[in-house]
Amino acid sequence: SIYEMFGNECCLSTGEVIKIIGFKINKLIASICENNEVSRFSAKVELPLNFPGLYKIVADKTPYASIEEITRKVSIGPTRFGHPCFYSPEDIKLGNLTIKHGEQITFNSVEEVNGTMAVNCGVVRNNQSHSFTLPLSQEGKFYECEDDQIYTLKEIAEWKIPKCRNRIVKLSNTLHTWDSSNPLPENFDGCLILTPVYEVQAVMKFRKDIVHILSDLDVEVEDITDCCDISSFLHPLSLEDVFERTSKEFPMVAEVMEGPSGSQKPYNLLHTGKEIVIYKKYQATRVLASEIRSDSPKRHFLIPMSYKGKFKRRPREFPTAYDLEIARSEKEQLHVVATKAFDSPHKELFSVSVGDQFLVQQCQTSEVLYEGRKKVIDVLACEQILSDTYKKVLLPMYMEGGFVEVIHDKKQYQLSEICKEFRLPFNVKVSVRDLSVEEDVLAAVPGLQFEEEITDSYLLISSTSGPVESWEIPVYRFNMSVHLLSRDIQAVVPPATKTTVEEISEEQYYMVRRYENQTLHPPPRPPKKPT
């Protein structure tokens, strides 16, 4: 019989042998949540996994009864999402370590230790990480810890919904303006209970694609795993799976089972059935840039270091004197114009008027009189530019004003020069477009802010048949499945590499910044007014 549900078509005949390769959440049923329960006035709405917005997870109040139950129901894996955290209301005594009640335990991986399946765990004490293992047989009450990260719905569906449980989430950022097609109420910022609807992913002997079967399909099946030769089935791999292979296994030949959507190169080249060479895996640097505009949504880009266009500087804006201190450099003196007045509460410090111009000097301390007592505070030493002279002034570092940079530099810069010579964030506009590409998407953007350099994971691929160019494929933003072919590779040296400027969505922008900033210490806060 041919079954067709929600665009998934599959022919299942009696006796057909199917290899189940996974389960996947197909969509989510959402209900508005009040006090951890479904609201009496809430209608259930269907949300696709690409529904816009960023969400925070509400910790599950129902405990797990054992480590084994956690490993069965919660995703634990090598990626950045696969490290869930739990705590026990009771102390857990191990050989030479006692895990205190309420202490956050990070679950890192599941593996066999001395013949027993166990979870590799870690706790952090006084900024020191302590590793240990918990056997799957360990019983007790284990509660999910609070999670302050933000996620897309797709990430929550793939990693953060335990099997056989629902998930409560709180909307953190809608990212998009509300319209009548949005199934959620206008200005909604509350909690949702998400109920997953699963699909079964399978492969068949005579099909080269992945078959998606909805879990509520009324068909009877029998488990024949023990008496079936599974070597005759294709073994699909995601790009993450390919990236986890050792470097010695590259290059490799693969056939696309599910390709990405998109009409631009290389998306349109990677259709189902296409044979490709995957030459190597590596980390590459990109500059994260955002369009300069006052309204939203802004466009966001990841620019490769090989970009051949040139840039001219654009004025930066600084909301406080503290930001001026961060931006100043030894290479050139920072020249700014005040856009907002500031009346100093201390006679020792300067009051700023709109239009005042300053050359920023250095950070220092100064003694001021505050409520009859002398206090030492941080100040920014500047030179005020007058009509025919300069006047030394001190601005309080906590000053909330507004400044715009005056640009004297007319030079055109390559991307690599900017990253080497200046501190990011840095404002620019394209002065000479990249002539090596048909369409330079950055050339049409009136202004860009280079925010930070990031490092991301890539695979280098090309076509197997007469390739003239190879492409860098981002592992975590490219939805594609392949299966490996046992075939010799004619050319181990890839053809000329094409790197492209990648435009990313608002959600992807927040994800990129989140991952990059996890390893960085937050900048110090600007000084407060003396009290």
Side-chain angles (χ1 to χ4, degrees):
S1 301
I2 294 179
Y3 299 88
E4 197 278 328
M5 296 181 69
F6 305 105
N8 298 302
E9 183 180 293
C10 181
C11 179
L12 298 177
S13 55
T14 303
E16 182 92 59
V17 180
I18 305 169
K19 179 186 175 185
I20 305 299
I21 60 171
F23 298 89
K24 187 179 179 182
I25 294 176
N26 176 269
K27 59 187 175 182
L28 296 164
I29 306 300
S31 308
I32 293 176
C33 171
E34 293 178 357
N35 300 320
N36 289 347
E37 294 181 354
V38 176
S39 168
R40 287 182 302 157
F41 309 103
S42 170
K44 291 184 177 180
V45 296
E46 187 178 300
L47 298 181
L49 299 188
N50 61 356
F51 187 75
L54 294 169
Y55 305 82
K56 282 196 170 181
I57 289 171
V58 177
D60 196 341
K61 299 291 190 291
T62 306
Y64 293 84
S66 67
I67 299 297
E68 187 272 337
E69 184 187 2
I70 292 175
T71 61
R72 273 194 295 108
K73 294 184 176 179
V74 178
S75 297
I76 302 171
T79 75
R80 47 202 165 205
F81 300 114
H83 304 302
C85 297
F86 296 87
Y87 70 90
S88 168
E90 306 287 339
D91 287 357
I92 302 174
K93 290 183 172 56
L94 303 171
N96 57 351
L97 184 68
T98 297
I99 308 305
K100 298 171 186 175
H101 62 275
E103 193 167 21
Q104 180 172 297
I105 307 169
T106 303
F107 286 41
N108 293 316
S109 63
V110 181
E111 60 183 61
E112 189 175 323
V113 179
N114 299 326
T116 303
M117 295 305 294
V119 178
N120 286 318
C121 302
V123 295
V124 177
R125 294 174 180 170
N126 299 322
N127 294 323
Q128 291 287 317
S129 181
H130 302 269
S131 299
F132 58 94
T133 59
L134 288 175
L136 267 55
S137 57
Q138 180 81 41
E139 295 184 344
K141 286 186 176 179
F142 298 93
Y143 290 89
E144 191 175 47
C145 293
E146 296 290 339
D147 186 345
D148 61 356
Q149 294 291 333
I150 52 174
Y151 302 93
T152 63
L153 269 192
K154 186 173 185 290
E155 290 171 337
I156 291 171
E158 290 178 354
W159 288 95
K160 298 298 177 182
I161 299 184
K163 293 181 179 67
C164 307
R165 295 196 183 196
N166 296 333
R167 170 60 80 190
I168 299 177
V169 299
K170 179 171 175 56
L171 193 60
S172 174
N173 189 335
T174 56
L175 301 180
H176 295 266
T177 53
W178 187 90
D179 59 44
S180 57
S181 65
N182 192 323
L184 300 177
E186 188 171 3
N187 299 320
F188 175 75
D189 63 352
C191 290
L192 297 171
I193 295 182
L194 303 178
T195 303
V197 177
Y198 289 90
E199 69 178 24
V200 177
Q201 297 171 302
V203 290
M204 298 180 179
K205 282 192 175 182
F206 303 109
R207 293 184 64 152
K208 288 190 173 183
D209 56 348
I210 297 174
V211 177
H212 301 266
I213 308 169
L214 290 184
S215 56
D216 55 1
L217 186 63
D218 186 14
V219 58
E220 292 183 3
V221 295
E222 183 180 343
D223 185 358
I224 59 170
T225 305
D226 294 337
C227 58
C228 182
D229 177 18
I230 62 171
S231 63
S232 58
F233 288 90
L234 300 178
H235 182 53
L237 298 172
S238 67
L239 294 188
E240 291 95 327
D241 295 330
V242 174
F243 194 81
E244 285 172 17
R245 300 251 167 163
T246 64
S247 296
K248 292 180 181 177
E249 296 177 70
F250 293 87
M252 57 183 70
V253 180
E255 182 176 344
V256 177
M257 295 186 73
E258 281 190 334
S261 57
S263 56
Q264 307 250 314
K265 284 184 178 181
Y267 296 87
N268 57 353
L269 305 175
L270 299 171
H271 51 77
T272 300
K274 177 73 173 179
E275 292 187 4
I276 59 173
V277 179
I278 306 174
Y279 291 97
K280 61 179 179 177
K281 66 172 187 176
Y282 54 95
Q283 303 282 316
T285 301
R286 295 289 187 271
V287 172
L288 179 63
S290 294
E291 182 180 18
I292 298 174
R293 58 187 297 171
S294 55
D295 56 340
S296 59
K298 298 178 181 178
R299 297 169 71 189
H300 306 285
F301 306 92
L302 288 173
I303 310 173
M305 287 299 181
S306 59
Y307 178 80
K308 294 181 175 58
K310 290 188 176 182
F311 301 94
K312 277 190 175 180
R313 297 173 61 173
R314 277 198 54 170
R316 291 172 287 178
E317 296 182 6
F318 306 99
T320 68
Y322 178 73
D323 293 294
L324 295 177
E325 161 62 15
I326 292 175
R328 73 180 183 86
S329 71
E330 302 299 326
K331 177 179 167 55
E332 62 176 358
Q333 199 158 37
L334 184 59
H335 178 187
V336 296
V337 177
T339 57
K340 185 178 177 182
F342 170 77
D343 190 19
S344 172
H346 313 291
K347 65 177 183 179
E348 300 90 344
L349 304 181
F350 189 70
S351 292
V352 176
S353 301
V354 174
D356 284 350
Q357 296 192 44
F358 302 95
L359 296 177
V360 178
Q361 302 291 328
Q362 63 190 27
C363 173
Q364 61 187 61
T365 57
S366 177
E367 205 172 61
V368 298
L369 201 62
Y370 184 77
E371 294 182 348
R373 291 178 299 158
K374 289 185 176 181
K375 282 210 167 190
V376 175
I377 65 170
D378 290 327
V379 295
L380 188 66
C382 299
E383 287 186 339
Q384 184 188 10
I385 302 175
L386 302 174
S387 56
D388 55 355
T389 186
Y390 297 93
K391 176 184 176 183
K392 292 186 179 299
V393 298
L394 299 177
L395 305 180
M397 201 69 85
Y398 63 77
M399 168 188 167
E400 291 187 10
F403 302 92
V404 172
E405 182 178 23
V406 178
I407 300 291
H408 302 282
D409 181 4
K410 305 301 182 185
K411 181 182 172 182
Q412 298 184 110
Y413 290 92
Q414 300 278 3
L415 180 61
S416 58
E417 292 177 308
I418 292 174
C419 294
K420 183 179 179 181
E421 296 182 25
F422 300 101
R423 184 178 294 175
L424 304 186
F426 197 75
N427 293 359
V428 297
K429 64 177 179 181
V430 174
S431 56
V432 178
R433 73 176 187 88
D434 186 347
L435 299 174
S436 68
V437 295
E438 292 179 14
E439 181 185 2
D440 184 352
V441 293
L442 300 181
V445 181
L448 287 166
Q449 181 174 79
F450 292 164
E451 297 184 14
E452 60 185 320
E453 288 185 54
I454 68 156
T455 303
D456 210 353
S457 303
Y458 290 87
L459 295 170
L460 186 65
I461 70 161
S462 75
S463 170
T464 55
S465 53
V468 293
E469 55 196 14
S470 56
W471 297 86
E472 287 186 338
I473 302 298
V475 172
Y476 297 108
R477 291 183 302 279
F478 222 69
N479 191 18
M480 189 169 95
S481 296
V482 301
H483 73 93
L484 301 183
L485 302 176
S486 52
R487 186 184 311 162
D488 292 335
I489 298 168
Q490 303 300 324
V492 265
V493 179
T497 302
K498 295 281 285 188
T499 53
T500 59
V501 173
E502 184 185 355
E503 184 166 358
I504 59 176
S505 67
E506 191 86 353
E507 288 93 340
Q508 289 171 331
Y509 165 79
Y510 278 96
M511 296 307 104
V512 167
R513 295 220 69 175
R514 178 185 69 187
Y515 303 147
E516 194 69 17
N517 291 332
Q518 277 180 341
T519 59
L520 301 177
H521 297 294
R525 293 179 178 274
K528 295 181 179 178
K529 294 180 182 179
T531 55

